[in-house]
Amino acid sequence: MLNSDISVKKLNPNATLPTYGSEYAAGADLYACISEPVILSPSETKLIPTGLALEIPAGYAGLIYARSSLASKRGLAPANKVGVIDADYRGEIMVALHNHSTTIASIEPKERIAQLIITPYLTAHFKESDTLTETTRGEGGFGSTGTK
């Protein structure tokens, strides 16, 4: 477990800084920075503000994932499945929350709406090649490794 300071700017005085739910939690909870409930109809997506901007270090990215309880109990998850915050982005962190359920859902002010993981990444230098190394799997695609 690595520790690092991340500078956070409150764009709204009512914003809540990300928090970890337990000592070994990988994801920090992001909170809705709204003044009144936001209603999401079935199959609807809305941008939910956090009121925060981050300074993510170079070589790292912020990944926004669903909170398991929102997804499994209420059918609410980020519309893009995983949001990516680049190290050079300084705007407000927004969560595009989608209602996958068949019932109307409500997001309350200060509710935990997603989780943020700060992770290192590799910048690849793509180079064209006429050949690739051979593997046992080869060109086996979807479902090719799941045979019994």
Side-chain angles (χ1 to χ4, degrees):
M1 175 172 60
L2 300 173
N3 293 305
S4 182
D5 290 336
I6 301 291
S7 294
V8 182
K9 181 179 180 181
K10 279 190 172 186
L11 304 174
N12 182 315
N14 295 321
T16 303
L17 294 181
T19 61
Y20 290 96
S22 70
E23 181 181 3
Y24 297 111
D29 291 326
L30 294 174
Y31 295 80
C33 185
I34 52 179
S35 58
E36 57 188 38
V38 172
I39 305 301
L40 288 130
S41 297
S43 299
E44 184 176 26
T45 299
K46 288 190 178 174
L47 285 175
I48 310 296
T50 66
L52 303 174
L54 304 176
E55 186 174 329
I56 297 172
Y60 291 79
L63 303 179
I64 297 176
Y65 291 97
R67 290 193 70 250
S68 58
S69 60
L70 275 186
S72 64
K73 295 178 181 175
R74 296 172 50 199
L76 300 172
N80 52 343
K81 305 305 178 213
V82 178
V84 178
I85 306 166
D86 297 314
D88 57 352
Y89 177 67
R90 294 294 185 269
E92 183 174 9
I93 306 304
M94 305 284 281
V95 177
L97 210 53
H98 183 78
N99 184 353
H100 293 276
S101 78
T102 57
T103 60
I104 292 173
S106 176
I107 298 298
E108 300 297 320
K110 303 269 186 190
E111 184 173 351
R112 295 175 295 166
I113 55 170
Q115 58 182 326
L116 170 69
I117 296 177
I118 305 293
T119 187
Y121 65 87
L122 173 70
T123 300
H125 298 280
F126 299 97
K127 59 181 188 170
E128 187 174 350
S129 177
D130 292 331
T131 60
L132 301 175
T133 58
E134 292 190 24
T135 66
T136 304
R137 181 178 181 173
E139 294 181 14
F142 294 103
S144 66
T145 61
T147 57
K148 294 182 182 178

